[in-house]
């Protein structure tokens, strides 16, 4: 999978607030412990954890971009080669991105 940030931001109805829309990501994760190089980290909000607490760490440890819905501490310190997309709801953004990506393929869904 290779997706541009421009494609992602349109798919999730988000705004690129930091970074270059021409940058690319190669995978998507919601777990900052399972990052691969040039991945997209989506900061989900759960009962026990808030992914927004791990955005800067994820970007420092290999993620190329992050999708957020809340302000994050350290935003001003994020490196220039990293990107951030702001949305209203990160769970909805994950669902929208998955749906948009899946629609690219003409395969049966069971």
């Amino acid at each position: 999978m290779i997706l541009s940030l421009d494609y992602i931001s349109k798919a999730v109805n988000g705004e690129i607030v930091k970074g270059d829309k021409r940058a690319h990501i190669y995978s998507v994760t919601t777990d900052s412990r399972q990052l691969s190089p040039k991945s997209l980290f989506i900061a989900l909000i759960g009962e026990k954890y808030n992914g927004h607490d791990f955005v800067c760490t994820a970007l420092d440890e290999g993620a190329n971009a992050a999708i957020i819905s809340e302000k994050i501490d350290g935003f001003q310190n994020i490196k220039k080669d990293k990107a951030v997309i702001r949305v209203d709801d990160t769970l909805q953004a994950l669902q929208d991105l998955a749906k948009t990506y899946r629609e690219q393929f003409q395969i049966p869904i069971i």
Side-chain angles (χ1 to χ4, degrees), residues 2 15 18 27 48 51 57 59 70 75 90 96 104-105:
I2 300 175
E15 175 189 6
K18 190 173 195 91
S27 64
K48 296 184 180 183
T57 301
L59 293 171
E70 299 179 353
F75 182 82
T90 54
D96 292 343
Q104 293 182 32
F105 305 99

Side-chain angles (χ1 to χ4, degrees), residues 4 7 15 19 22 27 29 32 49 59-60 65 69 82 88 91 96 104 106-107 110:
S4 72
Y7 173 89
E15 175 189 6
R22 295 171 293 178
S27 64
T29 186
S32 62
Y49 299 101
L59 293 171
D60 284 342
S69 61
K82 304 296 180 172
D88 292 332
L91 178 58
D96 292 343
Q104 293 182 32
Q106 299 298 321
I107 55 175
I110 299 173

Side-chain angles (χ1 to χ4, degrees), residues 60-72:
D60 284 342
E61 294 183 6
N64 236 19
I67 294 181
I68 63 169
S69 61
E70 299 179 353
K71 289 184 178 184
I72 54 172

